[in-house]
Amino acid sequence: MDPLTIAAITLTTIPTAVTLGYGVLCWVAPFKTCKRCVGTGQTTTRFLRRPRACRRCDRGMRLRTGRRVYNVVHRLRAEAHR
């Protein structure tokens, strides 16, 4: 095989594997821990350091971006077939 063929195969295989791996991850574990509250569901106020509910997640877990995209596409397809 010449180097161009090997490069072309590599440049198509690696992104495909990464995309499929992320898709499987979104299917198996659709939620991830929130970065702002570190999974506790609470943050502190800026001045008094009082605990309050996290605005981003409400319970410590957030829906992954890939899963959110899948849900929107799935909903649009379901509405189109009605």
Side-chain angles (χ1 to χ4, degrees):
M1 287 187 154
D2 62 7
L4 255 73
T5 306
I6 294 172
I9 291 171
T10 303
L11 287 175
T12 56
T13 305
I14 292 175
T16 303
V18 169
T19 302
L20 289 175
Y22 183 68
V24 169
L25 178 68
C26 288
W27 180 59
V28 171
F31 292 99
K32 66 178 182 176
T33 57
C34 178
K35 289 182 182 179
R36 177 175 281 178
C37 67
V38 193
T40 61
Q42 293 183 351
T43 58
T44 55
T45 59
R46 188 170 288 188
F47 297 110
L48 299 177
R49 302 289 181 209
R50 291 181 15 205
R52 66 170 189 184
C54 181
R55 289 183 181 181
R56 288 188 181 180
C57 65
D58 291 330
R59 62 185 181 275
M61 301 296 278
R62 295 190 61 186
L63 194 62
R64 290 184 191 274
T65 305
R67 185 61 185 213
R68 187 174 294 120
V69 169
Y70 172 79
N71 289 347
V72 168
V73 169
H74 185 68
R75 188 178 308 124
L76 290 175
R77 283 186 179 178
E79 289 176 3
H81 289 291
R82 287 185 190 184

